[in-house]
Amino acid sequence: MKTTILCLLGLLGLNQVSQASILGIYDFNNLPNASSPNNASWVSPCIELCPLGPCDCLNQGLVTSGGPDGSAFRTFSGWDKTQYDPSVYFDRADVYQWPKTVAFEAHAADDSLGFISGLSVDVQRQDSNSPDTLMASIFWKDDLGAVQFRSSGPVSLGSVGSWDTIDFDFVNGTADLPSGAEYSGEDFLFELYAWGGDGGQLNLDNVTVMGQCAPIPEPGGALLVACAGFVLMLRRRRR
């Protein structure tokens, strides 16, 4: 009976998220200038998000109006014209940012339960030279130190000039994303990789990490972690 009650408390803890299903957002609205770091504009207390940035191979700009909500957005250019070999792209001996990508790192709080469910991005193709395909991926190390990944696979972008919201699900990969107890203290790398057209300008806004997290309740924290992880596993199997 006691175990059942503690498991229920663990579930309640996961449902008490700070903002429904959102772990963090980069909206670029409060950047003073084009050289400012892309810090997250809102972050849940149970995850840390490092600044979002392009690799040195991409050019980054800032436009202060005209975004999907009428405000600022980031521009990126210098993408690949054709997709890099996926078997090479995903085969990584360590967690690092791939050339010609936009990426950010995330650290799950050490005293939290949770999971990551996806990534949402507002995207605009500037013109016919802009990439026409975008892929979101997430990388992390397992308990043995091996690099694992989940990816959305290639997603075709909309017509030139329109802002489109793309909800990426991490449907393919080498392992399930850490959840419940495994989520606690984990480090993740989120990566956006675009290609097509002439590698021209692609506009991004409102990069949003989706999921749930909550502090581990007390007392009985260790048991709650185990229960929450078990419940999340059952949820995934039912889906």
Side-chain angles (χ1 to χ4, degrees):
M1 182 68 175
K2 181 178 179 181
T3 301
T4 302
I5 292 173
L6 287 173
C7 286
L8 290 173
L9 286 173
L11 278 176
L12 289 173
L14 278 177
N15 288 329
Q16 292 171 354
V17 290
S18 300
Q19 188 171 341
S21 298
I22 294 178
L23 296 180
I25 307 173
Y26 299 86
D27 67 10
F28 311 125
N29 288 337
N30 298 317
L31 299 182
N33 52 62
S35 61
S36 301
N38 298 318
N39 295 316
S41 51
W42 184 89
V43 186
S44 166
C46 43
I47 195 170
E48 299 173 10
L49 298 181
C50 295
L52 175 150
C55 71
D56 294 337
C57 309
L58 292 183
N59 299 312
Q60 175 179 259
L62 177 68
V63 180
T64 56
S65 62
D69 51 2
S71 54
F73 60 91
R74 278 292 193 184
T75 69
F76 301 95
S77 59
W79 306 90
D80 280 338
K81 296 180 182 180
T82 58
Q83 182 183 13
Y84 203 87
D85 184 350
S87 64
V88 177
Y89 175 83
F90 290 116
D91 186 15
R92 306 188 188 187
D94 203 352
V95 177
Y96 58 86
Q97 183 174 359
W98 192 263
K100 296 192 177 182
T101 63
V102 171
F104 61 93
E105 296 179 349
H107 173 75
D110 296 338
D111 58 350
S112 65
L113 302 170
F115 60 90
I116 293 167
S117 59
L119 191 71
S120 177
V121 185
D122 287 334
V123 183
Q124 181 191 53
R125 298 182 65 213
Q126 182 69 21
D127 51 42
S128 60
N129 293 321
S130 301
D132 54 19
T133 309
L134 185 63
M135 179 171 68
S137 304
I138 182 170
F139 299 86
W140 73 97
K141 285 186 177 181
D142 62 21
D143 292 340
L144 299 177
V147 177
Q148 307 292 346
F149 78 89
R150 300 293 294 180
S151 176
S152 67
V155 175
S156 297
L157 301 180
S159 59
V160 170
S162 65
W163 280 101
D164 298 302
T165 300
I166 301 179
D167 295 319
F168 294 102
D169 293 322
F170 299 116
V171 295
N172 307 306
T174 54
D176 289 336
L177 276 165
S179 62
E182 295 177 343
Y183 168 89
S184 178
E186 188 65 68
D187 293 310
F188 302 95
L189 174 70
F190 291 81
E191 201 166 80
L192 290 167
Y193 175 39
W195 64 88
D198 197 32
Q201 181 174 316
L202 192 66
N203 303 327
L204 301 179
D205 199 7
N206 299 318
V207 180
T208 306
V209 181
M210 309 300 295
Q212 290 188 10
C213 66
I216 297 174
E218 293 293 343
L223 182 57
L224 286 170
V225 168
C227 290
F230 177 71
V231 170
L232 285 170
M233 181 179 67
L234 290 178
R235 284 180 176 177
R236 287 190 171 192
R237 286 182 177 177
R238 289 173 181 172
R239 289 175 184 172

